[in-house]
Amino acid sequence: MAQNWLCFSCVDQASVGIVERCGRFSHVAQPGLHCFNLLAGEWLAGILSLRVQFLDVRCETKTRDNVFVSLECSIQYRVVHLHADDAFYELQNPREQIQAYVFDVVRAFVPKMSLDEVFEQKSDIAKAVSEELEKVMSAYGYSIEQTLIVDVLPDPSVRRAMNEINAAQRMRMAAVEKGEAEKILQVKKAEGEAEAKYLSGLGIARQRQAITDGLRENVLMFSNEVPGTSAKDVMDMVMVTQYFDTMKDIGNSAKNTTMFIPHGPGHVSDIAEQIRNGIVQGHAVTDLLET
């Protein structure tokens, strides 16, 4: 019969048992097998886990700039081993107690901040929640291990507006960058065209200088080697040669068109005469202006 007065119970690892005697708290039972004397009114009233527990709380509130926002808080808490009896007897539902204090702190803290500040200062909000919970829950035998603000969710219409603002800003920046790129291309193109024209003009000037030097040398050489010839005769012969070279180039061109021009040696002399007359008239006008 004595065996009926004894009760054996096992407390799991990372847990503690609350032992009562005659309805009063007796002691905390550590993990392992325990024997309780029922005749003496001793029994295992309950078991508390010492593991870290998680509680996710979603709280909706309003910011200083009148934007409704939902904050999702993740609370990590555990029973303090030395105050397991307080945790067992003082609070009937610790999760509801923690949730109530999270609501109280968030709704007192966030309305003082703008929406941008809520995103930027999530750690400050989490710190305020953690300090308040630690101060309150420590009296009930609980320890707040960590408090995290895992998500900030504004109203869907506000999120759409924020995305549109961000998209408009990025489009404006892209337009500015595109304009700067086109400006650089235009400037570089203009610089390239100016440089090309300068080099082209320089090449033409050098070409004409070379032609002039060549004509001068030909006239002097021909006049020295053929007695009785004048510079006019030599120029007429050179112009005839250039005339036929020009006609040859026109005939060999792949994009040539039909051209009607006077042809014959006499016309070449007429052209030469016109050039000489123009030069003489130019010298006369220059002399008149100088006087």
Side-chain angles (χ1 to χ4, degrees):
M1 293 294 295
Q3 292 182 353
N4 295 330
W5 301 339
L6 301 178
C7 178
F8 293 91
S9 297
C10 184
V11 178
D12 297 333
Q13 183 67 32
S15 299
V16 291
I18 303 299
V19 180
E20 293 182 352
R21 177 174 292 178
C22 297
R24 293 184 59 184
F25 170 72
S26 174
H27 63 277
V28 175
Q30 303 301 320
L33 181 64
H34 296 270
C35 179
F36 302 101
N37 188 352
L38 298 180
L39 185 61
E42 190 177 58
W43 68 295
L44 183 65
I47 295 177
L48 288 177
S49 175
L50 299 179
R51 296 178 181 177
V52 176
Q53 302 181 58
F54 292 85
L55 174 63
D56 292 330
V57 181
R58 181 183 288 269
C59 179
E60 185 175 358
T61 184
K62 187 178 71 170
T63 62
R64 187 181 61 200
D65 45 359
N66 296 323
V67 177
F68 284 92
V69 60
S70 294
L71 276 72
E72 188 169 321
C73 306
S74 180
I75 313 298
Q76 302 176 14
Y77 66 98
R78 69 191 308 170
V79 174
V80 180
H81 184 275
L82 297 178
H83 302 284
D85 54 333
D86 293 333
F88 186 80
Y89 290 106
E90 296 294 335
L91 278 181
Q92 183 176 2
N93 194 329
R95 299 176 67 88
E96 290 185 2
Q97 182 81 354
I98 292 175
Q99 183 175 349
Y101 278 101
V102 170
F103 285 166
D104 182 68
V105 175
V106 169
R107 289 173 178 171
F109 199 80
V110 173
K112 301 177 183 179
M113 308 167 66
S114 66
L115 181 60
D116 292 336
E117 291 173 345
V118 172
F119 281 97
E120 295 172 358
Q121 302 177 18
K122 290 195 303 180
S123 59
D124 294 340
I125 301 174
K127 182 179 179 181
V129 173
S130 179
E131 290 177 352
E132 183 66 21
L133 287 178
E134 183 67 29
K135 181 175 63 176
V136 174
M137 298 302 293
S138 61
Y140 299 112
Y142 285 89
S143 172
I144 304 301
E145 300 296 320
Q146 187 66 266
T147 301
L148 302 174
I149 305 297
V150 296
D151 204 359
V152 178
L153 298 173
D155 187 81
S157 60
V158 176
R159 292 202 299 270
R160 287 194 298 270
M162 293 174 64
N163 291 333
E164 291 176 359
I165 292 173
N166 186 270
Q169 292 177 346
R170 293 183 181 276
M171 290 179 64
R172 183 167 62 250
M173 293 174 59
V176 172
E177 295 296 331
K178 183 178 180 182
E180 290 294 330
E182 292 179 353
K183 177 182 176 181
I184 293 174
L185 289 176
Q186 292 294 334
V187 171
K188 292 299 181 182
K189 182 179 179 181
E191 292 178 352
E193 291 178 354
E195 186 68 18
K197 290 179 180 179
Y198 171 76
L199 296 176
S200 177
L202 187 61
I204 293 173
R206 290 178 177 177
Q207 179 187 18
R208 291 176 179 175
Q209 182 65 37
I211 292 173
T212 302
D213 294 341
L215 291 175
R216 184 186 300 110
E217 292 178 1
N218 289 333
V219 170
L220 294 176
M221 185 183 301
F222 198 85
S223 300
N224 293 331
E225 293 182 359
V226 182
T229 58
S230 62
K232 176 180 177 303
D233 298 331
V234 177
M235 289 300 298
D236 289 340
M237 184 183 67
V238 171
M239 291 192 66
V240 170
T241 302
Q242 291 182 347
Y243 175 80
F244 283 110
D245 290 340
T246 302
M247 296 297 294
K248 181 179 178 182
D249 292 337
I250 293 174
N252 293 332
S253 176
K255 298 181 180 181
N256 57 355
T257 58
T258 303
M259 298 179 61
F260 296 94
I261 58 174
H263 180 65
H267 294 292
V268 178
S269 62
D270 291 340
I271 295 173
E273 186 65 27
Q274 293 175 10
I275 294 174
R276 283 193 294 271
N277 290 337
I279 295 173
V280 171
Q281 291 177 4
H283 284 300
V285 172
T286 303
D287 295 338
L288 180 61
L289 291 175
E290 290 178 353
T291 58

